[in-house]
Amino acid sequence: IGNLIIKLNATDLDDGANGEITYSLTNHNSADVRELVGVNSKTGEIRLKGHLDFEQSKTFVINIEATDHGSPSMSQQCDVLVDVIDVNDNAPELSLTSMSSAVAENAPIGTIVALLSVEDKDSGQSGQVQCQIPSQLPFQLESSVKNNWKLLIQQGLDRETNSGYDITVTCADAGDPLLTSQKDIRVDVSDVNDNAPKFTQAAYTANVMENNVIGYSIFALTAYDLDRGQNARLNFTILNSVVASYVSIDSQNGVIFAQKSFDYEQLKNFQIHVLVRDSGVPSLSSNVTVDVVILDQNDNAPVIVNPLPEHGSTVMETISRFAEPGYQVAKVSAIDADSGQNARLTYHVFHATHHNLFTISEDTGEIWTIRGIETKDASKQRLVIVVNDNGIPSLSATVTIVLFMEGSDTISSATSLSKDH
């Protein structure tokens, strides 16, 4: 404001007041021109009193009148044509003309994601615009027609790696100094069913104690799917129908339930083949094997297999009265249908007519004399042998053996066999 546009110089050949000249804007000037410029009535200098805007008006005309002070006064008009020179005072204006709400992660390279238009009101170099986006993104920005750009997919997308991108488009003109503008675009990547569900382990082992309660859960499988929504909704099924009478599975959460009470002595292990399938289209699946191991419970008492009754419940055993110390009198043998510690057996003398006459091996069940048989020893010796397993709680069986001393007057012996559970 105040800059000199031009200084006019009018001449009048008259003398005195008749030759004095006054300059003024005529009524032919528009209101915009009157607001934009002013003229010094004495000097004829035309100066700016408003702001020029090349983008609103590239040229305008100022109509000036020079009037003398004679009587009558005389005047002359002239037009001043003003050309406005453009400067780079407008940054590019960027607008989004079309935009995909979301882009599928399997969209092919070259797919158009968005269309943009850019405008710069300046002229010449100041109105020439170039746009760009950061280079590390899987997109590229191409100029389609003048002042129009398209955002394209340049590399394959993967929603599981990156579910969306915030892209800053920067446009700069070629003015001096250059001016820039930016626009942020959000590109969301939509899911496709490109990931099969996976179990957390390659295989599973489920340990189940025998005599379990029917209907109770015995194991829980865990699977996951990197997709989302319907593509990640999982369904579990058992593949091998042969175990359908043994177990069932909750199709939603993978919990396995026992359909029967297992007996270790009848079934020690079996395998379940489980398939997990997602709900995508087309659906994807994977499977896993669960090895079910039935654990032994101490539910079987030892069974004495030797000596066996010969006459009903009676077992006849004899020993020479002249047997020396260390002589093996008999051997008790037992078996246990359980396994491990539950089937580990030990033998003990629970009751004896003379406690210092016989002993038994804890491991083998062999009964020996501790000392020689004396005359005062009774001719009929009664031994109660107990067999214990090593389970918790321990189970046992007992056998009562009556030994008849050969050469004595006692000619009868009796044996009774019983089991304590």
Side-chain angles (χ1 to χ4, degrees):
I1 294 177
N3 281 353
L4 177 66
I5 297 175
I6 192 172
K7 181 178 180 180
L8 299 178
N9 184 24
T11 58
D12 192 314
L13 297 178
D14 294 322
D15 294 328
N18 295 330
E20 294 180 6
I21 298 173
T22 297
Y23 300 92
S24 63
L25 294 172
T26 70
N27 293 330
H28 296 297
N29 293 288
S30 66
D32 291 338
V33 171
R34 288 178 176 277
E35 291 178 359
L36 193 61
V37 299
V39 61
N40 188 303
S41 61
K42 294 182 179 179
T43 64
E45 293 179 345
I46 301 175
R47 293 182 179 272
L48 285 174
K49 64 177 185 178
H51 292 286
L52 294 176
D53 188 349
F54 176 84
E55 288 70 41
Q56 289 187 0
S57 179
K58 297 176 176 57
T59 62
F60 61 93
V61 177
I62 308 171
N63 186 249
I64 301 295
E65 182 178 67
T67 305
D68 63 20
H69 292 184
S71 181
S73 63
M74 303 184 69
S75 63
Q76 181 68 44
Q77 296 180 358
C78 74
D79 290 330
V80 179
L81 179 63
V82 179
D83 290 325
V84 180
I85 300 172
D86 188 31
V87 295
N88 194 27
D89 59 346
N90 290 281
E93 295 179 0
L94 186 60
S95 60
L96 192 62
T97 58
S98 178
M99 178 72 191
S100 299
S101 58
V103 181
E105 60 178 321
N106 64 346
I109 293 174
T111 298
I112 296 176
V113 177
L115 296 175
L116 304 99
S117 64
V118 62
E119 181 185 4
D120 194 311
K121 294 179 180 179
D122 295 318
S123 62
Q125 289 289 108
S126 299
Q128 296 180 7
V129 179
Q130 289 294 321
C131 298
Q132 64 180 9
I133 60 174
S135 59
Q136 70 271 19
L137 297 173
F139 302 95
Q140 64 178 3
L141 196 62
E142 285 186 359
S143 176
S144 52
V145 293
K146 183 180 180 182
N147 296 330
N148 288 276
W149 296 77
K150 53 186 178 182
L151 183 66
L152 309 172
I153 297 176
Q154 182 175 251
Q155 302 171 12
L157 304 178
D158 184 7
R159 188 205 64 83
E160 289 71 41
T161 302
N162 199 328
S163 61
Y165 298 86
D166 292 308
I167 304 172
T168 300
V169 181
T170 302
C171 295
D173 61 27
D176 184 19
L178 64 83
L179 299 176
T180 63
S181 62
Q182 293 181 334
K183 188 170 187 64
D184 293 326
I185 299 175
R186 172 69 183 182
V187 177
D188 290 316
V189 181
S190 62
D191 186 50
V192 297
N193 196 30
D194 58 348
N195 291 279
K198 293 182 179 180
F199 289 96
T200 55
Q201 294 179 206
Y204 295 89
T205 299
N207 295 316
V208 182
M209 186 67 69
E210 67 172 328
N211 304 313
N212 56 285
V213 178
I214 297 175
Y216 273 38
S217 65
I218 60 173
F219 200 70
L221 291 171
T222 303
Y224 63 93
D225 195 309
L226 294 176
D227 296 317
R228 65 183 302 179
Q230 193 76 5
N231 296 331
R233 187 173 298 170
L234 304 182
N235 186 277
F236 298 86
T237 55
I238 293 176
L239 293 177
N240 47 336
S241 58
V242 69
V243 301
S245 61
Y246 295 166
V247 293
S248 64
I249 191 168
D250 188 307
S251 62
Q252 302 300 314
N253 58 28
V255 176
I256 299 174
F257 299 92
Q259 295 294 93
K260 62 176 296 183
S261 184
F262 299 111
D263 184 355
Y264 173 83
E265 288 70 40
Q266 299 295 323
L267 180 66
K268 292 179 171 55
N269 71 289
F270 61 92
Q271 289 186 332
I272 310 171
H273 301 297
V274 179
L275 179 137
V276 62
R277 185 184 297 277
D278 62 31
S279 301
V281 180
S283 65
L284 301 175
S285 64
S286 61
N287 55 69
V288 75
T289 298
V290 181
D291 189 19
V292 180
V293 179
I294 309 301
L295 302 179
D296 184 41
Q297 193 176 56
N298 195 29
D299 57 348
N300 291 279
V303 176
I304 296 174
V305 296
N306 186 63
L308 292 175
E310 296 178 357
H311 307 287
S313 60
T314 302
V315 175
M316 303 295 292
E317 295 290 347
T318 61
I319 181 174
S320 171
R321 186 175 283 280
F322 306 104
E324 297 181 354
Y327 176 77
Q328 182 175 328
V329 177
K331 180 176 180 179
V332 177
S333 298
I335 58 173
D336 193 308
D338 295 318
S339 66
Q341 291 297 317
N342 295 333
R344 181 183 171 188
L345 304 179
T346 56
Y347 301 83
H348 304 277
V349 176
F350 181 73
H351 174 77
T353 303
H354 296 291
H355 289 287
N356 62 347
L357 182 55
F358 300 101
T359 187
I360 190 169
S361 170
E362 287 189 358
D363 299 322
T364 67
E366 295 172 343
I367 301 173
W368 299 291
T369 57
I370 299 174
R371 58 175 174 80
I373 300 174
E374 301 174 354
T375 305
K376 63 180 181 178
D377 294 327
S379 60
K380 186 170 61 174
Q381 296 289 325
R382 185 173 180 270
L383 295 177
V384 179
I385 306 299
V386 62
V387 184
N388 294 100
D389 63 26
N390 203 39
I392 299 176
S394 176
L395 302 178
S396 64
T398 61
V399 60
T400 301
I401 301 174
V402 176
L403 296 174
F404 176 71
M405 304 292 185
E406 285 186 338
S408 71
D409 294 334
T410 304
I411 59 173
S412 63
S413 62
T415 301
S416 64
L417 179 66
S418 65
K419 294 181 181 179
D420 299 325
H421 296 277

